[in-house]
Amino acid sequence: MKPFFIYNTLSRSVEKFLPQHPPEVSLYSCGPTVYLPQHLGNLRAYLCWDFLRRALEYNGYTVRHVINVTDVGHMTSDQDAGEDKIEKTAREQHKSPLEVADFYLKLFQDDLAAIHVEPPLVWCRATEHIDAMIELIERIIAAGMAYVTPSGVYFDVEKYRGENRAGRLSRQSLDEQNAAQRLEHSADKKSPHDFALWVLAQPHHLMQWDSPWGRGYPGWHIECSAMSMKYLGETIDIHTGGMDHIPIHHENEIAQSESATHHPFVRYFVHNAFLTGKEGAKISKSAGKFPLLSDVIAMGIDPLAFRIFCMGAKYRSELALSDDGLRAAQSNLDYFREFARSIPAGAVSNSSDAEFSCEYRERFLDALNNDLNTPQALAVALELVAEAYRRGDYNIWNTLGAFDRVLGLGLAETQTAAANSAIPVEIQALIDARTAARKSRDFKRADQLRADLEARGYEVKDNRDGTTVYQLRHA
RNA sequence: GGCGGCGUACCCAAGUGGUUAAGGGAGAGGUCUGCAAAACCUCCAUGCAUCGGUUCGAAUCCGAUCGCCGCCUCCA
């Protein structure tokens, strides 16, 4: 078994991956706040983690994947009071917070399904884990690392800093962070760096729960700590998230978690770089306009082409969204599918692949295990198919099938659909008529019949050996 | 101001010390074909922002310069 290497933000270096309890791997991904549709940049993040998960599974690991859903406590940064994002949308749309969260979570899950992101073992929602959060906050208070005030329970960052543990992820000392602005509406905080574990005295907040400190709601960071511990244990193998979460969210998660448990919270922190907009600008929800999967589909691009598009760049590199890039990915998708549809039945049932495929298997695994080098893995898969065509030896179906466990393009389904698609009688009649027309060299009529067939969704191709193949489009 | 990242062909993008700088898309030519499609073949960066340096050897390490971007406030 070849070792898997991954970049760990904690050490700022590529490390050999060693889970605590092989072959099991605990994987926690910071999930979205469900108050708006998730844009393509969000989707890229979950594609990155899907590639990670599938690569680990390809290596024989069993992955326990948990994704959280933030449906309370995530504040806007409006200077004034700051409003809960979910509640803000609820007000604007005249819905309840629960309706808003349900609606956008469903939308998100539908998008993930369209790009073949495997569902996690657990989707966990903040509002359904209030008890776990309260318990954890109690542990933090008991450890002397948090204090209760009339406006809320705050984590004592100064005290934590005394233990010389702050800033490990971001490599920034607290003094370097310009936190002056943050004091304004939280005079109870001992230090501007302190962050809320539990918020009190916000009567206008729609979502409130009883707690030992009074009615209120949880701070944003505590949910990830509480839920990852609940489902994956107090030390998890891999925690993923966007680069933007390194300096605040993940620092705080580490601080509060380790204060409570006194042992490491996460072994490998893995962060993805952003998808950038068409002008090289960052895509962000707060900026207002952002591209969605539905925009891609409206361009005539298959959602799975977006999957390939994202596979074409490393998770740690920024990726520039572009129409050309999406179309290039669509070409790749068509190429794989065309191979799957036209592969001879014998090559599908053959259990032993051509010898030349061995080298590709090795290169594919090496690419994945080298810090999840998906662009290289994709290149290997494309080259494998090209070589099969070149040699006229299509006995690579097992290898390609193995690759597709990571590529996630559903090529087996494409093949099955093409093989099982029955040609209706009236279509067969048109085909026969065209064949006859070609034989009598009435090409005008043959071309007319081809156009008819294409209008009905059938693609007509004349192969080298003179036969003609007909297949459903977009199988 | 502080922290961090990036700059590889027309476009996207691998490669981070050592043979001819992956792969895809676009483009050009060709094979096949009645035509087309598909597929395959050939061509497409003596050069990796610029200038220095280290080295037997650098896109890859170091320094400077220019340009772009992110974070430090909600964001994957």
Side-chain angles (χ1 to χ4, degrees), chain A residues 300-302 304-305 308 326-342 382 385 389 409 411 414 459 461 471 473-475:
Chain A
I301 300 291
D302 193 297
L304 291 178
I308 290 179
L326 289 170
R327 279 192 280 267
Q330 181 71 51
S331 293
N332 290 160
L333 178 62
D334 293 341
Y335 182 74
F336 283 124
R337 283 183 169 167
E338 178 61 25
F339 182 84
R341 283 187 291 228
S342 62
L382 288 166
V385 174
Y389 274 124
L409 303 177
L411 296 179
T414 301
E459 205 176 332
K461 301 197 301 188
Q471 21 198 214
R473 278 183 190 163
H474 314 303

mmCIF file of all heavy atoms in Angstrom, chain A residues 300-302 304-305 308 326-342 382 385 389 409 411 414 459 461 471 473-475, chain B residues 25-26 38-39:
data_model
loop_
_atom_site.group_PDB
_atom_site.id
_atom_site.type_symbol
_atom_site.label_atom_id
_atom_site.label_comp_id
_atom_site.label_asym_id
_atom_site.label_seq_id
_atom_site.Cartn_x
_atom_site.Cartn_y
_atom_site.Cartn_z
ATOM 1 N N GLY A 300 -25.480 25.407 -21.275
ATOM 2 C CA GLY A 300 -25.422 24.146 -22.007
ATOM 3 C C GLY A 300 -24.299 23.258 -21.517
ATOM 4 O O GLY A 300 -23.891 22.313 -22.192
ATOM 5 N N ILE A 301 -23.779 23.575 -20.344
ATOM 6 C CA ILE A 301 -22.698 22.787 -19.758
ATOM 7 C C ILE A 301 -23.297 21.802 -18.753
ATOM 8 O O ILE A 301 -24.143 22.170 -17.938
ATOM 9 C CB ILE A 301 -21.686 23.696 -19.020
ATOM 10 C CG1 ILE A 301 -21.066 24.721 -19.972
ATOM 11 C CG2 ILE A 301 -20.612 22.871 -18.328
ATOM 12 C CD1 ILE A 301 -20.139 24.153 -21.003
ATOM 13 N N ASP A 302 -22.866 20.566 -18.838
ATOM 14 C CA ASP A 302 -23.331 19.524 -17.915
ATOM 15 C C ASP A 302 -22.748 19.778 -16.522
ATOM 16 O O ASP A 302 -21.589 20.160 -16.407
ATOM 17 C CB ASP A 302 -22.845 18.164 -18.454
ATOM 18 C CG ASP A 302 -23.528 17.000 -17.756
ATOM 19 O OD1 ASP A 302 -23.342 16.853 -16.536
ATOM 20 O OD2 ASP A 302 -24.242 16.254 -18.437
ATOM 21 N N LEU A 304 -21.675 17.746 -14.519
ATOM 22 C CA LEU A 304 -20.483 16.914 -14.342
ATOM 23 C C LEU A 304 -19.273 17.502 -15.057
ATOM 24 O O LEU A 304 -18.132 17.193 -14.727
ATOM 25 C CB LEU A 304 -20.747 15.488 -14.818
ATOM 26 C CG LEU A 304 -21.731 14.711 -13.941
ATOM 27 C CD1 LEU A 304 -21.962 13.323 -14.511
ATOM 28 C CD2 LEU A 304 -21.231 14.629 -12.500
ATOM 29 N N ALA A 305 -19.517 18.364 -16.040
ATOM 30 C CA ALA A 305 -18.400 19.072 -16.671
ATOM 31 C C ALA A 305 -17.810 20.062 -15.674
ATOM 32 O O ALA A 305 -16.597 20.282 -15.635
ATOM 33 C CB ALA A 305 -18.850 19.791 -17.938
ATOM 34 N N ILE A 308 -15.477 18.093 -13.647
ATOM 35 C CA ILE A 308 -14.189 17.910 -14.319
ATOM 36 C C ILE A 308 -13.392 19.209 -14.314
ATOM 37 O O ILE A 308 -12.179 19.212 -14.103
ATOM 38 C CB ILE A 308 -14.406 17.414 -15.765
ATOM 39 C CG1 ILE A 308 -14.917 15.972 -15.739
ATOM 40 C CG2 ILE A 308 -13.125 17.526 -16.571
ATOM 41 C CD1 ILE A 308 -15.178 15.384 -17.108
ATOM 42 N N LEU A 326 -14.876 25.877 -18.882
ATOM 43 C CA LEU A 326 -16.034 24.993 -18.726
ATOM 44 C C LEU A 326 -16.275 24.193 -19.998
ATOM 45 O O LEU A 326 -16.587 23.004 -19.952
ATOM 46 C CB LEU A 326 -17.277 25.813 -18.374
ATOM 47 C CG LEU A 326 -17.290 26.423 -16.965
ATOM 48 C CD1 LEU A 326 -18.437 27.416 -16.814
ATOM 49 C CD2 LEU A 326 -17.388 25.338 -15.903
ATOM 50 N N ARG A 327 -16.109 24.847 -21.129
ATOM 51 C CA ARG A 327 -16.315 24.135 -22.393
ATOM 52 C C ARG A 327 -15.240 23.071 -22.611
ATOM 53 O O ARG A 327 -15.510 21.995 -23.147
ATOM 54 C CB ARG A 327 -16.347 25.127 -23.562
ATOM 55 C CG ARG A 327 -17.723 25.794 -23.694
ATOM 56 C CD ARG A 327 -17.844 26.551 -25.003
ATOM 57 N NE ARG A 327 -17.191 27.845 -24.929
ATOM 58 C CZ ARG A 327 -17.814 28.979 -24.588
ATOM 59 N NH1 ARG A 327 -19.094 28.967 -24.309
ATOM 60 N NH2 ARG A 327 -17.160 30.112 -24.551
ATOM 61 N N ALA A 328 -14.025 23.381 -22.174
ATOM 62 C CA ALA A 328 -12.952 22.390 -22.279
ATOM 63 C C ALA A 328 -13.301 21.162 -21.437
ATOM 64 O O ALA A 328 -13.102 20.018 -21.861
ATOM 65 C CB ALA A 328 -11.632 22.998 -21.817
ATOM 66 N N ALA A 329 -13.837 21.410 -20.267
ATOM 67 C CA ALA A 329 -14.220 20.308 -19.386
ATOM 68 C C ALA A 329 -15.358 19.507 -20.002
ATOM 69 O O ALA A 329 -15.394 18.279 -19.913
ATOM 70 C CB ALA A 329 -14.634 20.852 -18.016
ATOM 71 N N GLN A 330 -16.273 20.210 -20.661
ATOM 72 C CA GLN A 330 -17.373 19.520 -21.325
ATOM 73 C C GLN A 330 -16.833 18.592 -22.413
ATOM 74 O O GLN A 330 -17.323 17.471 -22.589
ATOM 75 C CB GLN A 330 -18.343 20.539 -21.933
ATOM 76 C CG GLN A 330 -19.537 19.920 -22.639
ATOM 77 C CD GLN A 330 -20.533 19.284 -21.671
ATOM 78 O OE1 GLN A 330 -20.957 19.905 -20.704
ATOM 79 N NE2 GLN A 330 -20.883 18.027 -21.919
ATOM 80 N N SER A 331 -15.818 19.045 -23.130
ATOM 81 C CA SER A 331 -15.200 18.196 -24.156
ATOM 82 C C SER A 331 -14.641 16.929 -23.532
ATOM 83 O O SER A 331 -14.760 15.831 -24.090
ATOM 84 C CB SER A 331 -14.077 18.946 -24.874
ATOM 85 O OG SER A 331 -14.596 20.009 -25.619
ATOM 86 N N ASN A 332 -14.003 17.072 -22.382
ATOM 87 C CA ASN A 332 -13.456 15.900 -21.690
ATOM 88 C C ASN A 332 -14.565 14.944 -21.295
ATOM 89 O O ASN A 332 -14.437 13.729 -21.439
ATOM 90 C CB ASN A 332 -12.686 16.329 -20.428
ATOM 91 C CG ASN A 332 -11.391 17.047 -20.750
ATOM 92 O OD1 ASN A 332 -10.847 17.754 -19.925
ATOM 93 N ND2 ASN A 332 -10.890 16.868 -21.955
ATOM 94 N N LEU A 333 -15.644 15.502 -20.784
ATOM 95 C CA LEU A 333 -16.770 14.668 -20.365
ATOM 96 C C LEU A 333 -17.333 13.904 -21.563
ATOM 97 O O LEU A 333 -17.592 12.701 -21.489
ATOM 98 C CB LEU A 333 -17.853 15.539 -19.720
ATOM 99 C CG LEU A 333 -19.118 14.816 -19.269
ATOM 100 C CD1 LEU A 333 -18.802 13.789 -18.194
ATOM 101 C CD2 LEU A 333 -20.161 15.805 -18.750
ATOM 102 N N ASP A 334 -17.512 14.612 -22.684
ATOM 103 C CA ASP A 334 -18.021 13.969 -23.892
ATOM 104 C C ASP A 334 -17.089 12.857 -24.357
ATOM 105 O O ASP A 334 -17.532 11.812 -24.831
ATOM 106 C CB ASP A 334 -18.189 15.007 -25.014
ATOM 107 C CG ASP A 334 -19.296 16.009 -24.700
ATOM 108 O OD1 ASP A 334 -20.140 15.706 -23.838
ATOM 109 O OD2 ASP A 334 -19.305 17.090 -25.310
ATOM 110 N N TYR A 335 -15.809 13.099 -24.200
ATOM 111 C CA TYR A 335 -14.800 12.125 -24.630
ATOM 112 C C TYR A 335 -14.928 10.833 -23.825
ATOM 113 O O TYR A 335 -14.957 9.732 -24.384
ATOM 114 C CB TYR A 335 -13.427 12.768 -24.444
ATOM 115 C CG TYR A 335 -12.247 11.942 -24.886
ATOM 116 C CD1 TYR A 335 -11.964 11.761 -26.243
ATOM 117 C CD2 TYR A 335 -11.385 11.371 -23.952
ATOM 118 C CE1 TYR A 335 -10.858 11.029 -26.652
ATOM 119 C CE2 TYR A 335 -10.278 10.638 -24.358
ATOM 120 C CZ TYR A 335 -10.019 10.474 -25.703
ATOM 121 O OH TYR A 335 -8.924 9.755 -26.100
ATOM 122 N N PHE A 336 -15.024 10.969 -22.508
ATOM 123 C CA PHE A 336 -15.188 9.794 -21.655
ATOM 124 C C PHE A 336 -16.498 9.066 -21.978
ATOM 125 O O PHE A 336 -16.554 7.845 -22.059
ATOM 126 C CB PHE A 336 -15.198 10.192 -20.175
ATOM 127 C CG PHE A 336 -13.832 10.490 -19.601
ATOM 128 C CD1 PHE A 336 -13.580 11.713 -18.999
ATOM 129 C CD2 PHE A 336 -12.819 9.535 -19.640
ATOM 130 C CE1 PHE A 336 -12.327 11.982 -18.448
ATOM 131 C CE2 PHE A 336 -11.568 9.800 -19.093
ATOM 132 C CZ PHE A 336 -11.318 11.031 -18.499
ATOM 133 N N ARG A 337 -17.547 9.839 -22.125
ATOM 134 C CA ARG A 337 -18.857 9.236 -22.363
ATOM 135 C C ARG A 337 -18.921 8.543 -23.710
ATOM 136 O O ARG A 337 -19.527 7.473 -23.836
ATOM 137 C CB ARG A 337 -19.941 10.311 -22.286
ATOM 138 C CG ARG A 337 -20.253 10.695 -20.867
ATOM 139 C CD ARG A 337 -21.379 11.690 -20.834
ATOM 140 N NE ARG A 337 -21.857 11.870 -19.475
ATOM 141 C CZ ARG A 337 -22.658 12.865 -19.113
ATOM 142 N NH1 ARG A 337 -23.060 13.754 -20.005
ATOM 143 N NH2 ARG A 337 -23.059 12.972 -17.864
ATOM 144 N N GLU A 338 -18.313 9.164 -24.704
ATOM 145 C CA GLU A 338 -18.307 8.561 -26.031
ATOM 146 C C GLU A 338 -17.604 7.202 -25.973
ATOM 147 O O GLU A 338 -18.065 6.221 -26.568
ATOM 148 C CB GLU A 338 -17.602 9.492 -27.025
ATOM 149 C CG GLU A 338 -17.500 8.960 -28.433
ATOM 150 C CD GLU A 338 -18.857 8.707 -29.078
ATOM 151 O OE1 GLU A 338 -19.847 9.361 -28.667
ATOM 152 O OE2 GLU A 338 -18.933 7.850 -29.978
ATOM 153 N N PHE A 339 -16.538 7.161 -25.206
ATOM 154 C CA PHE A 339 -15.826 5.887 -25.068
ATOM 155 C C PHE A 339 -16.724 4.858 -24.392
ATOM 156 O O PHE A 339 -16.818 3.710 -24.830
ATOM 157 C CB PHE A 339 -14.542 6.075 -24.262
ATOM 158 C CG PHE A 339 -13.739 4.802 -24.128
ATOM 159 C CD1 PHE A 339 -12.866 4.412 -25.132
ATOM 160 C CD2 PHE A 339 -13.886 3.988 -23.009
ATOM 161 C CE1 PHE A 339 -12.151 3.223 -25.028
ATOM 162 C CE2 PHE A 339 -13.181 2.793 -22.903
ATOM 163 C CZ PHE A 339 -12.300 2.408 -23.911
ATOM 164 N N ALA A 340 -17.393 5.284 -23.328
ATOM 165 C CA ALA A 340 -18.247 4.363 -22.574
ATOM 166 C C ALA A 340 -19.398 3.846 -23.440
ATOM 167 O O ALA A 340 -19.787 2.690 -23.350
ATOM 168 C CB ALA A 340 -18.799 5.065 -21.328
ATOM 169 N N ARG A 341 -19.934 4.702 -24.292
ATOM 170 C CA ARG A 341 -21.079 4.305 -25.111
ATOM 171 C C ARG A 341 -20.684 3.385 -26.255
ATOM 172 O O ARG A 341 -21.475 2.577 -26.708
ATOM 173 C CB ARG A 341 -21.781 5.541 -25.670
ATOM 174 C CG ARG A 341 -22.642 6.237 -24.634
ATOM 175 C CD ARG A 341 -23.445 7.343 -25.269
ATOM 176 N NE ARG A 341 -22.586 8.429 -25.695
ATOM 177 C CZ ARG A 341 -22.828 9.710 -25.420
ATOM 178 N NH1 ARG A 341 -23.909 10.056 -24.737
ATOM 179 N NH2 ARG A 341 -22.020 10.639 -25.829
ATOM 180 N N SER A 342 -19.466 3.572 -26.727
ATOM 181 C CA SER A 342 -19.096 2.828 -27.934
ATOM 182 C C SER A 342 -18.193 1.638 -27.646
ATOM 183 O O SER A 342 -17.777 0.936 -28.565
ATOM 184 C CB SER A 342 -18.405 3.778 -28.928
ATOM 185 O OG SER A 342 -17.228 4.295 -28.366
ATOM 186 N N LEU A 382 -7.405 10.455 -19.114
ATOM 187 C CA LEU A 382 -7.585 10.832 -20.517
ATOM 188 C C LEU A 382 -6.583 10.097 -21.408
ATOM 189 O O LEU A 382 -6.911 9.633 -22.501
ATOM 190 C CB LEU A 382 -7.415 12.353 -20.678
ATOM 191 C CG LEU A 382 -8.554 13.216 -20.131
ATOM 192 C CD1 LEU A 382 -8.124 14.671 -20.025
ATOM 193 C CD2 LEU A 382 -9.796 13.094 -21.010
ATOM 194 N N VAL A 385 -7.551 6.388 -22.066
ATOM 195 C CA VAL A 385 -8.572 6.218 -23.097
ATOM 196 C C VAL A 385 -7.970 6.449 -24.481
ATOM 197 O O VAL A 385 -8.231 5.696 -25.418
ATOM 198 C CB VAL A 385 -9.757 7.178 -22.847
ATOM 199 C CG1 VAL A 385 -10.745 7.110 -24.004
ATOM 200 C CG2 VAL A 385 -10.442 6.837 -21.526
ATOM 201 N N TYR A 389 -7.840 3.763 -27.732
ATOM 202 C CA TYR A 389 -8.273 4.063 -29.107
ATOM 203 C C TYR A 389 -7.126 3.813 -30.080
ATOM 204 O O TYR A 389 -7.295 3.222 -31.137
ATOM 205 C CB TYR A 389 -8.677 5.535 -29.207
ATOM 206 C CG TYR A 389 -10.120 5.841 -28.829
ATOM 207 C CD1 TYR A 389 -10.399 6.775 -27.841
ATOM 208 C CD2 TYR A 389 -11.179 5.246 -29.503
ATOM 209 C CE1 TYR A 389 -11.701 7.095 -27.506
ATOM 210 C CE2 TYR A 389 -12.495 5.558 -29.185
ATOM 211 C CZ TYR A 389 -12.749 6.486 -28.182
ATOM 212 O OH TYR A 389 -14.040 6.804 -27.871
ATOM 213 N N LEU A 409 -17.862 10.125 -12.619
ATOM 214 C CA LEU A 409 -18.633 10.553 -13.787
ATOM 215 C C LEU A 409 -19.774 9.602 -14.131
ATOM 216 O O LEU A 409 -20.526 9.843 -15.072
ATOM 217 C CB LEU A 409 -17.695 10.701 -14.998
ATOM 218 C CG LEU A 409 -16.533 11.679 -14.778
ATOM 219 C CD1 LEU A 409 -15.620 11.704 -16.006
ATOM 220 C CD2 LEU A 409 -17.050 13.079 -14.462
ATOM 221 N N LEU A 411 -19.641 6.580 -15.431
ATOM 222 C CA LEU A 411 -19.426 6.014 -16.770
ATOM 223 C C LEU A 411 -20.065 4.638 -16.927
ATOM 224 O O LEU A 411 -20.524 4.289 -18.017
ATOM 225 C CB LEU A 411 -17.921 5.949 -17.073
ATOM 226 C CG LEU A 411 -17.231 7.305 -17.147
ATOM 227 C CD1 LEU A 411 -15.747 7.141 -17.429
ATOM 228 C CD2 LEU A 411 -17.874 8.178 -18.222
ATOM 229 N N THR A 414 -23.516 5.256 -17.906
ATOM 230 C CA THR A 414 -23.559 5.701 -19.301
ATOM 231 C C THR A 414 -23.480 4.508 -20.240
ATOM 232 O O THR A 414 -24.233 4.406 -21.206
ATOM 233 C CB THR A 414 -22.382 6.661 -19.589
ATOM 234 O OG1 THR A 414 -22.472 7.781 -18.716
ATOM 235 C CG2 THR A 414 -22.408 7.135 -21.031
ATOM 236 N N GLU A 459 -28.290 10.071 -32.672
ATOM 237 C CA GLU A 459 -27.092 10.487 -33.359
ATOM 238 C C GLU A 459 -26.719 9.409 -34.365
ATOM 239 O O GLU A 459 -26.778 8.219 -34.056
ATOM 240 C CB GLU A 459 -25.973 10.646 -32.321
ATOM 241 C CG GLU A 459 -24.898 11.603 -32.739
ATOM 242 C CD GLU A 459 -23.888 11.779 -31.620
ATOM 243 O OE1 GLU A 459 -24.260 11.631 -30.443
ATOM 244 O OE2 GLU A 459 -22.733 12.049 -31.943
ATOM 245 N N LYS A 461 -23.934 7.807 -36.878
ATOM 246 C CA LYS A 461 -22.511 7.776 -37.202
ATOM 247 C C LYS A 461 -22.196 6.577 -38.077
ATOM 248 O O LYS A 461 -22.678 5.480 -37.839
ATOM 249 C CB LYS A 461 -21.690 7.676 -35.914
ATOM 250 C CG LYS A 461 -21.953 8.830 -34.980
ATOM 251 C CD LYS A 461 -20.875 8.949 -33.944
ATOM 252 C CE LYS A 461 -20.761 7.691 -33.110
ATOM 253 N NZ LYS A 461 -19.838 7.887 -31.994
ATOM 254 N N GLN A 471 -27.292 6.126 -31.266
ATOM 255 C CA GLN A 471 -27.423 6.146 -29.819
ATOM 256 C C GLN A 471 -28.172 7.384 -29.336
ATOM 257 O O GLN A 471 -28.174 8.404 -29.994
ATOM 258 C CB GLN A 471 -26.061 6.077 -29.134
ATOM 259 C CG GLN A 471 -24.945 6.494 -30.038
ATOM 260 C CD GLN A 471 -23.591 6.033 -29.554
ATOM 261 O OE1 GLN A 471 -22.650 6.720 -29.753
ATOM 262 N NE2 GLN A 471 -23.527 4.874 -28.914
ATOM 263 N N ARG A 473 -28.813 10.585 -27.419
ATOM 264 C CA ARG A 473 -27.949 11.675 -26.990
ATOM 265 C C ARG A 473 -28.016 11.817 -25.478
ATOM 266 O O ARG A 473 -29.023 11.483 -24.864
ATOM 267 C CB ARG A 473 -28.447 12.984 -27.580
ATOM 268 C CG ARG A 473 -27.999 13.205 -28.994
ATOM 269 C CD ARG A 473 -28.519 14.563 -29.396
ATOM 270 N NE ARG A 473 -28.347 14.776 -30.824
ATOM 271 C CZ ARG A 473 -29.010 15.728 -31.457
ATOM 272 N NH1 ARG A 473 -29.873 16.465 -30.804
ATOM 273 N NH2 ARG A 473 -28.808 15.915 -32.735
ATOM 274 N N HIS A 474 -26.977 12.355 -24.949
ATOM 275 C CA HIS A 474 -26.938 12.675 -23.513
ATOM 276 C C HIS A 474 -27.307 11.482 -22.653
ATOM 277 O O HIS A 474 -28.060 11.595 -21.706
ATOM 278 C CB HIS A 474 -27.879 13.840 -23.181
ATOM 279 C CG HIS A 474 -27.747 14.966 -24.126
ATOM 280 N ND1 HIS A 474 -26.553 15.593 -24.354
ATOM 281 C CD2 HIS A 474 -28.655 15.558 -24.932
ATOM 282 C CE1 HIS A 474 -26.730 16.545 -25.259
ATOM 283 N NE2 HIS A 474 -27.986 16.544 -25.622
ATOM 284 N N ALA A 475 -26.838 10.323 -23.041
ATOM 285 C CA ALA A 475 -27.165 9.136 -22.225
ATOM 286 C C ALA A 475 -26.533 9.261 -20.845
ATOM 287 O O ALA A 475 -25.518 9.892 -20.681
ATOM 288 C CB ALA A 475 -26.658 7.891 -22.906
ATOM 289 P P G B 25 -9.047 18.198 -25.874
ATOM 290 O OP1 G B 25 -10.191 17.420 -26.383
ATOM 291 O OP2 G B 25 -7.743 18.121 -26.546
ATOM 292 O "O5'" G B 25 -9.461 19.732 -25.796
ATOM 293 C "C5'" G B 25 -10.683 20.103 -25.165
ATOM 294 C "C4'" G B 25 -10.800 21.598 -25.116
ATOM 295 O "O4'" G B 25 -9.717 22.141 -24.312
ATOM 296 C "C3'" G B 25 -10.637 22.311 -26.445
ATOM 297 O "O3'" G B 25 -11.818 22.259 -27.215
ATOM 298 C "C2'" G B 25 -10.318 23.719 -25.974
ATOM 299 O "O2'" G B 25 -11.463 24.376 -25.485
ATOM 300 C "C1'" G B 25 -9.373 23.424 -24.808
ATOM 301 N N9 G B 25 -7.980 23.405 -25.265
ATOM 302 C C8 G B 25 -7.161 22.317 -25.459
ATOM 303 N N7 G B 25 -5.977 22.647 -25.904
ATOM 304 C C5 G B 25 -6.017 24.028 -26.002
ATOM 305 C C6 G B 25 -5.030 24.955 -26.430
ATOM 306 O O6 G B 25 -3.879 24.734 -26.814
ATOM 307 N N1 G B 25 -5.490 26.265 -26.385
ATOM 308 C C2 G B 25 -6.750 26.636 -25.987
ATOM 309 N N2 G B 25 -7.012 27.946 -26.020
ATOM 310 N N3 G B 25 -7.681 25.796 -25.585
ATOM 311 C C4 G B 25 -7.250 24.512 -25.619
ATOM 312 P P A B 26 -11.705 22.153 -28.797
ATOM 313 O OP1 A B 26 -13.084 22.030 -29.308
ATOM 314 O OP2 A B 26 -10.683 21.147 -29.174
ATOM 315 O "O5'" A B 26 -11.126 23.590 -29.184
ATOM 316 C "C5'" A B 26 -11.894 24.760 -28.904
ATOM 317 C "C4'" A B 26 -11.065 25.986 -29.209
ATOM 318 O "O4'" A B 26 -9.922 26.045 -28.316
ATOM 319 C "C3'" A B 26 -10.437 26.022 -30.595
ATOM 320 O "O3'" A B 26 -11.359 26.434 -31.585
ATOM 321 C "C2'" A B 26 -9.328 27.042 -30.377
ATOM 322 O "O2'" A B 26 -9.829 28.354 -30.314
ATOM 323 C "C1'" A B 26 -8.811 26.625 -29.001
ATOM 324 N N9 A B 26 -7.759 25.615 -29.128
ATOM 325 C C8 A B 26 -7.844 24.251 -28.939
ATOM 326 N N7 A B 26 -6.713 23.610 -29.150
ATOM 327 C C5 A B 26 -5.831 24.620 -29.504
ATOM 328 C C6 A B 26 -4.464 24.600 -29.860
ATOM 329 N N6 A B 26 -3.733 23.484 -29.904
ATOM 330 N N1 A B 26 -3.878 25.783 -30.166
ATOM 331 C C2 A B 26 -4.613 26.898 -30.115
ATOM 332 N N3 A B 26 -5.904 27.050 -29.795
ATOM 333 C C4 A B 26 -6.455 25.859 -29.495
ATOM 334 P P A B 38 -16.767 15.404 -33.543
ATOM 335 O OP1 A B 38 -16.914 16.207 -32.322
ATOM 336 O OP2 A B 38 -15.787 15.795 -34.584
ATOM 337 O "O5'" A B 38 -16.466 13.896 -33.146
ATOM 338 C "C5'" A B 38 -17.269 13.241 -32.184
ATOM 339 C "C4'" A B 38 -16.909 11.784 -32.138
ATOM 340 O "O4'" A B 38 -17.209 11.178 -33.426
ATOM 341 C "C3'" A B 38 -15.433 11.487 -31.937
ATOM 342 O "O3'" A B 38 -15.066 11.565 -30.575
ATOM 343 C "C2'" A B 38 -15.345 10.067 -32.475
ATOM 344 O "O2'" A B 38 -15.889 9.135 -31.570
ATOM 345 C "C1'" A B 38 -16.250 10.174 -33.700
ATOM 346 N N9 A B 38 -15.490 10.565 -34.892
ATOM 347 C C8 A B 38 -15.375 11.810 -35.461
ATOM 348 N N7 A B 38 -14.623 11.838 -36.538
ATOM 349 C C5 A B 38 -14.212 10.531 -36.684
ATOM 350 C C6 A B 38 -13.390 9.899 -37.631
ATOM 351 N N6 A B 38 -12.820 10.538 -38.654
ATOM 352 N N1 A B 38 -13.188 8.574 -37.491
ATOM 353 C C2 A B 38 -13.753 7.928 -36.475
ATOM 354 N N3 A B 38 -14.548 8.411 -35.515
ATOM 355 C C4 A B 38 -14.738 9.721 -35.683
ATOM 356 P P A B 39 -13.639 12.103 -30.170
ATOM 357 O OP1 A B 39 -13.573 12.069 -28.701
ATOM 358 O OP2 A B 39 -13.364 13.364 -30.909
ATOM 359 O "O5'" A B 39 -12.673 10.993 -30.773
ATOM 360 C "C5'" A B 39 -12.672 9.685 -30.230
ATOM 361 C "C4'" A B 39 -11.810 8.791 -31.076
ATOM 362 O "O4'" A B 39 -12.366 8.700 -32.412
ATOM 363 C "C3'" A B 39 -10.391 9.286 -31.307
ATOM 364 O "O3'" A B 39 -9.555 9.000 -30.207
ATOM 365 C "C2'" A B 39 -10.010 8.504 -32.554
ATOM 366 O "O2'" A B 39 -9.746 7.157 -32.247
ATOM 367 C "C1'" A B 39 -11.317 8.591 -33.353
ATOM 368 N N9 A B 39 -11.337 9.783 -34.213
ATOM 369 C C8 A B 39 -11.911 10.998 -33.950
ATOM 370 N N7 A B 39 -11.758 11.876 -34.917
ATOM 371 C C5 A B 39 -11.027 11.191 -35.871
ATOM 372 C C6 A B 39 -10.524 11.558 -37.134
ATOM 373 N N6 A B 39 -10.713 12.768 -37.672
ATOM 374 N N1 A B 39 -9.838 10.632 -37.839
ATOM 375 C C2 A B 39 -9.642 9.417 -37.313
ATOM 376 N N3 A B 39 -10.070 8.950 -36.124
ATOM 377 C C4 A B 39 -10.756 9.888 -35.460
#
